[in-house]
Amino acid sequence: MDEKQVQAAAQLLWNTWQAGDTIEQLPQECQPQSPADGHAIQAALQEVTGRGILGWKLAATNETAQAYLGVDGPMAGRLFEGTLAEPSGTVSLAKNHMRAVEVEMAFRMEKKLPVQSAPYSQADVLAHVGGLIPAIEIPDSRYTEFTKVGKSQLVADDACACCFILGDEAPSSWREADLAAHEVRLMINGELAGEGTGANVLGDPRQALAWLANDLASRGHTLRAGEVIMTGTVVKPAAIQPGDHVVGDLGAFGSLEIRLS
């Protein structure tokens, strides 16, 4: 894709996002033909928005989600300024079409991850992490049938980013905990709506973090101090509607809640 095509796709996606509309897919004249094209559009989306990024998110971090979306692996997206909502507050679903909620383990980077020639290990990345944070994501897509457009277009559309919420940082004991076995629950209106363990996120949320670091490095990016990394949903996404009260319960790591309007 040339720069004009990339910019046209990014502008269309952002206009659609802002209007709360959906499109069937990107027009043929500016449709990405590879994940690399999709990442180019996503990068241009940041330019079009004029917003900085608060961090990164991962989508499709387990086989069930990958099969549902029709992709062959995880996808990374940007967390734009203006998409972080306050915990214990109210989130509007007025422009949200997906109407789903996820509970995640997020990480806060304390130090910039230095560039290196060898792939990053979990230990390499964790040495630069400041904390673990209970998190909720309310994803969305700018495509009417997002399960049919394919990986390249989903990457272009910021990997279904929309809104996220962060709780208080977990006690430092998370560093010694078995995150793969750690249980997480999603409650909606006081009833259990989903539960799972950290193993649902690429086998371990720390592995998802390392995967992201290496994926970004392959495209000339690195994780920076202060950035938040949403590692992917631990529980199966659950349907939501206005009026719902949502609680993400990470047990010893803390919990957070939001109301939907």
Side-chain angles (χ1 to χ4, degrees):
M1 297 180 70
D2 61 32
E3 185 61 25
K4 184 177 180 179
Q5 292 171 309
V6 167
Q7 289 291 330
Q11 189 66 63
L12 176 56
L13 287 170
W14 182 238
N15 291 348
T16 303
W17 192 339
Q18 289 295 91
D21 292 333
T22 60
I23 56 176
E24 183 177 346
Q25 60 182 353
L26 286 167
Q28 287 296 325
E29 59 268 22
C30 62
Q31 189 175 116
Q33 301 303 305
S34 67
D37 287 344
H39 282 296
I41 294 170
Q42 188 187 120
L45 188 62
Q46 182 179 351
E47 298 172 14
V48 167
T49 66
R51 301 182 181 187
I53 65 168
L54 302 175
W56 301 84
K57 62 154 289 180
L58 286 172
T61 49
N62 59 66
E63 292 182 356
T64 300
Q66 290 163 17
Y68 176 65
L69 293 172
V71 300
D72 59 1
M75 301 179 291
R78 288 162 165 79
L79 298 174
F80 291 122
E81 291 176 341
T83 62
L84 174 63
E86 291 295 323
S88 300
T90 301
V91 174
S92 172
L93 295 178
K95 294 183 177 181
N96 186 288
H97 299 275
M98 195 178 287
R99 300 289 175 100
V101 65
E102 304 174 350
V103 184
E104 309 191 17
M105 297 184 203
F107 293 100
R108 176 184 59 80
M109 300 301 295
E110 184 173 22
K111 298 177 288 185
K112 178 181 177 181
L113 191 63
V115 177
Q116 64 182 43
S117 57
Y120 296 106
S121 66
Q122 285 188 35
D124 292 334
V125 185
L126 285 171
H128 296 78
V129 167
L132 182 149
I133 310 172
I136 288 174
E137 182 179 13
I138 301 176
D140 201 12
S141 176
R142 275 47 70 177
Y143 303 116
T144 307
E145 296 186 88
F146 55 88
T147 61
K148 297 181 179 180
V149 297
K151 186 174 185 177
S152 300
Q153 292 200 75
L154 290 173
V155 168
D157 189 34
D158 206 21
C160 301
C162 182
C163 173
F164 70 109
I165 303 95
L166 301 174
D168 295 328
E169 288 198 9
S172 59
S173 56
W174 70 265
R175 291 188 181 273
E176 288 72 48
D178 183 352
L179 297 190
H182 190 80
E183 296 181 349
V184 172
R185 299 196 306 164
L186 168 63
M187 307 292 293
I188 300 179
N189 301 327
E191 297 185 358
L192 182 66
E195 57 188 341
T197 67
N200 289 332
V201 185
L202 287 183
D204 188 308
R206 291 167 293 199
Q207 181 57 31
L209 180 65
W211 181 93
L212 176 65
N214 287 304
D215 180 67
L216 293 179
S218 72
R219 294 182 279 109
H221 301 292
T222 191
L223 297 172
R224 300 180 181 277
E227 289 185 337
V228 172
I229 314 304
M230 300 282 286
T231 56
T233 187
V234 177
V235 303
K236 182 179 179 180
I240 49 175
Q241 60 184 350
D244 283 346
H245 175 235
V246 176
V247 176
D249 183 3
L250 275 69
F253 297 163
S255 64
L256 72 163
E257 62 183 283
I258 54 167
R259 292 190 179 274
L260 306 172
S261 68

